[in-house]
Amino acid sequence: MDTAEYQHFAWLARSFGRTDYLPLTPADLEALADAGSYVDKYPGTHLFKEGEESNAAFVIQRGEVELYRSRSSGRRVVGRVRPGAVIGDIAMFQGQPYVSGARAITRVRAFRLERSRLLPLLIEHPVIAMRWLVAGLSQLEATQQRVIRLMHRTVREQVAEVLLDETDDYGEVHLSQSSLADLLGASRQSVNEALASFKSSGAIETGYRVIQVKDPAILEKVAGRAVSVPT
Amino acid sequence: MDTAEYQHFAWLARSFGRTDYLPLTPADLEALADAGSYVDKYPGTHLFKEGEESNAAFVIQRGEVELYRSRSSGRRVVGRVRPGAVIGDIAMFQGQPYVSGARAITRVRAFRLERSRLLPLLIEHPVIAMRWLVAGLSQLEATQQRVIRLMHRTVREQVAEVLLDETDDYGEVHLSQSSLADLLGASRQSVNEALASFKSSGAIETGYRVIQVKDPAILEKVAGRAVSVPT
DNA sequence: GCAATAATGTCGCTAAGGGGACAAACCGGG
DNA sequence: CCCGGTTTGTCCCCTTAGCGACATTATTGC
């Protein structure tokens, strides 16, 4: 049960942290300026901790933030977000505790939207509120699709899928194989086996805590994603 | 891939159709009265069809509605809703086509909220809009938790879980074993095996398209749900 | 540098479960 | 009341993947 629950939070955190989740425009932020203020965080300090009462959402302006979740076996990173990301908002709207913690990696500047001041302001700006909520809705729905896409597939397929999703701008995935396994709910050994097969087919290179994606096309094929085949 | 996609829709439809999803109070409806009107449907007629542009949400007032989804192998029922349920709203908010169709089983009276007239009205009633959207958010989140609770568990556990969730007021689950299997993404054979084991332990009785839950406690134990044990 | 720790790479065993095949029971329409 | 389609109940085979065990490398703290 703990594993499944952890995975849930992991997925939520990962998806909520995606930079493509941008419910707010600069104009919106200006309108909401009264609801919060900028905060600066030094590396290692928390924007919020998991389980804490969710009384604020954050829009990352600069720096990198790590989303983590504690477990019996210590802290586990479940995602990293960059400037532009909005975090903590869905928990805030639901009035639920934060599902994951957020910790600054580099120096971080973020705009902190206070729940108590934000909600009244959103009442005055219903359009923003609705766009925000609908964005959250779509985000959750997309996450759900992702989860269901991973269900009932071989570990090999799942690994290919996740590798494609987690690749950064430099074609690298910065996750240990056991983190990868945790994320999928698979065993480390099976993940390793899948990676070995990808490595031998030249799709990736493996290193210590790093995987370099050399040929995404191969992974896409394995993951069963629509490949545009020239006919 | 078709299977996974179908499963996704099935889960969405099931959760959205739940009667405990009641974002609107009678007072809200009164306020939104201008956005729609009552419609009466004869058995067999559609409130909306799947894939159709979602330009209205419905609040069921009387009668019973069946949510279904077509597939290569014909139509498949994914849920039934009773008076009080709100259907079609989340697709409407997202501006996506309906994920499932809704067909009247008995004579149905429903309040049809027109998207084009509803949205402006919601802008005037931001409190209602926000409650509605947050309800949708929570609903989706609950569905997601449910799906993730089912991941990486034995078919036996999954079946127990689903049986508990789908039991109606009379302690019966009106689903064929293959529907159950589809819902879980398991094979019909494995589901049947699980049911057989429950039957032999006296937890359930099986019939034609019907399963009677005799002893929920046994199922809860198998599903790994917290059982209140007297100490 | 040099442990101590963490991460990767492999092997073999075993259980869970998908899928084919087929019999038996059930139901609804003519 | 009977027939065709659907649903349930069982077998068996074979692949997938979890798990334990262990060797090998990489990293980090001292």
Side-chain angles (χ1 to χ4, degrees):
Chain A
M1 200 69 281
D2 187 59
T3 314
E5 204 188 342
Y6 161 70
Q7 247 191 296
H8 178 221
F9 291 131
W11 279 109
L12 287 192
R14 286 195 96 71
S15 62
F16 290 171
R18 302 197 160 258
T19 38
D20 54 358
Y21 170 43
L22 291 169
L24 303 177
T25 67
D28 293 342
L29 271 180
E30 209 164 303
L32 299 177
D34 286 345
S37 54
Y38 283 99
V39 289
D40 286 298
K41 289 287 177 181
Y42 285 100
T45 58
H46 285 83
L47 282 86
F48 53 82
K49 296 180 183 176
E50 56 182 319
E52 216 174 60
E53 205 184 328
S54 55
N55 37 35
F58 295 82
V59 185
I60 310 301
Q61 301 283 321
R62 205 174 52 217
E64 201 159 347
V65 174
E66 191 176 76
L67 299 171
Y68 68 89
R69 178 145 173 90
S70 295
R71 232 178 143 189
S72 45
S73 53
R75 171 182 296 164
R76 191 159 283 273
V77 177
V78 292
R80 285 195 174 192
V81 304
R82 291 164 219 282
V86 181
I87 56 178
D89 58 334
I90 295 197
M92 188 198 68
F93 279 126
Q94 289 188 254
Q96 301 278 326
Y98 292 116
V99 292
S100 64
R103 204 170 58 106
I105 295 299
T106 61
R107 280 213 58 172
V108 166
R109 161 161 280 221
F111 194 69
R112 180 191 161 96
L113 291 157
E114 211 66 47
R115 179 189 161 95
S116 57
R117 283 196 279 163
L118 179 61
L119 293 189
L121 243 163
L122 282 177
I123 302 286
E124 286 172 38
H125 295 273
V127 178
I128 296 176
M130 288 182 65
R131 192 166 64 239
W132 196 340
L133 284 163
V134 170
L137 219 56
S138 299
Q139 189 65 23
L140 251 183
E141 226 252 329
T143 306
Q144 187 156 341
Q145 282 208 40
R146 225 185 130 191
V147 170
I148 292 190
R149 270 172 61 93
L150 287 174
M151 292 177 79
H152 309 117
R153 315 194 58 176
T154 65
V155 171
R156 208 175 114 86
E157 291 166 334
Q158 293 184 46
V159 170
E161 187 89 43
V162 169
L163 283 182
L164 290 170
D165 271 344
E166 301 298 334
T167 310
D168 66 10
D169 302 336
Y170 308 101
E172 295 185 337
V173 179
H174 291 271
L175 286 168
S176 74
Q177 296 185 7
S178 40
S179 303
L180 222 52
D182 272 355
L183 211 54
L184 294 174
S187 70
R188 187 188 62 78
Q189 291 95 320
S190 303
V191 170
N192 180 270
E193 189 190 4
L195 289 174
S197 98
F198 293 146
K199 189 162 62 173
S200 75
S201 66
I204 60 169
E205 283 297 319
T206 61
Y208 196 80
R209 281 172 179 274
V210 175
I211 297 159
Q212 285 165 22
V213 177
K214 297 288 185 188
D215 189 348
I218 297 179
L219 297 179
E220 276 167 13
K221 205 170 161 193
V222 172
R225 290 198 183 173
V227 189
S228 46
V229 184
T231 337
Chain B
M1 202 68 283
D2 186 58
T3 314
E5 203 188 341
Y6 163 71
Q7 236 191 307
H8 180 222
F9 290 130
W11 280 107
L12 284 191
R14 288 199 94 71
S15 63
F16 291 171
R18 303 200 157 256
T19 38
D20 54 359
Y21 171 43
L22 290 169
L24 301 178
T25 67
D28 294 342
L29 271 180
E30 210 164 303
L32 299 176
D34 286 347
S37 54
Y38 283 99
V39 289
D40 286 298
K41 289 286 177 182
Y42 284 100
T45 57
H46 284 83
L47 282 86
F48 53 83
K49 296 181 183 174
E50 57 180 320
E52 216 174 62
E53 205 185 326
S54 55
N55 37 34
F58 296 82
V59 185
I60 310 302
Q61 301 282 322
R62 204 174 52 217
E64 201 159 346
V65 174
E66 189 177 78
L67 299 171
Y68 68 89
R69 177 143 176 92
S70 294
R71 232 178 143 190
S72 46
S73 53
R75 170 181 298 164
R76 190 161 284 275
V77 177
V78 291
R80 282 199 176 189
V81 303
R82 291 165 219 283
V86 181
I87 56 178
D89 57 335
I90 295 197
M92 189 196 69
F93 280 127
Q94 290 194 93
Q96 301 277 327
Y98 293 117
V99 294
S100 64
R103 204 170 58 106
I105 296 298
T106 61
R107 280 214 57 173
V108 166
R109 159 160 282 221
F111 194 68
R112 180 192 161 96
L113 291 156
E114 212 67 45
R115 179 188 162 94
S116 57
R117 282 195 280 163
L118 178 61
L119 292 190
L121 244 164
L122 283 178
I123 300 286
E124 287 172 38
H125 295 274
V127 178
I128 297 177
M130 289 185 62
R131 191 166 65 239
W132 196 337
L133 283 163
V134 170
L137 217 58
S138 299
Q139 190 65 24
L140 249 182
E141 226 255 334
T143 305
Q144 187 154 342
Q145 287 210 35
R146 220 183 132 193
V147 169
I148 292 190
R149 272 227 310 277
L150 290 175
M151 291 178 78
H152 308 118
R153 316 195 58 178
T154 65
V155 171
R156 209 175 114 87
E157 292 166 334
Q158 292 184 45
V159 169
E161 188 89 46
V162 169
L163 283 182
L164 290 170
D165 272 343
E166 301 296 334
T167 310
D168 66 10
D169 302 336
Y170 308 100
E172 295 185 338
V173 179
H174 291 271
L175 287 168
S176 74
Q177 296 184 8
S178 41
S179 303
L180 221 52
D182 274 355
L183 211 55
L184 295 174
S187 71
R188 187 188 61 77
Q189 290 94 321
S190 304
V191 170
N192 180 269
E193 191 190 3
L195 289 173
S197 97
F198 294 145
K199 189 162 62 174
S200 74
S201 66
I204 61 169
E205 283 296 319
T206 61
Y208 196 79
R209 281 173 174 274
V210 175
I211 297 159
Q212 285 164 21
V213 177
K214 296 287 184 188
D215 188 348
I218 297 179
L219 297 180
E220 276 167 13
K221 204 171 163 191
V222 172
R225 291 200 182 173
V227 189
S228 46
V229 184
T231 336

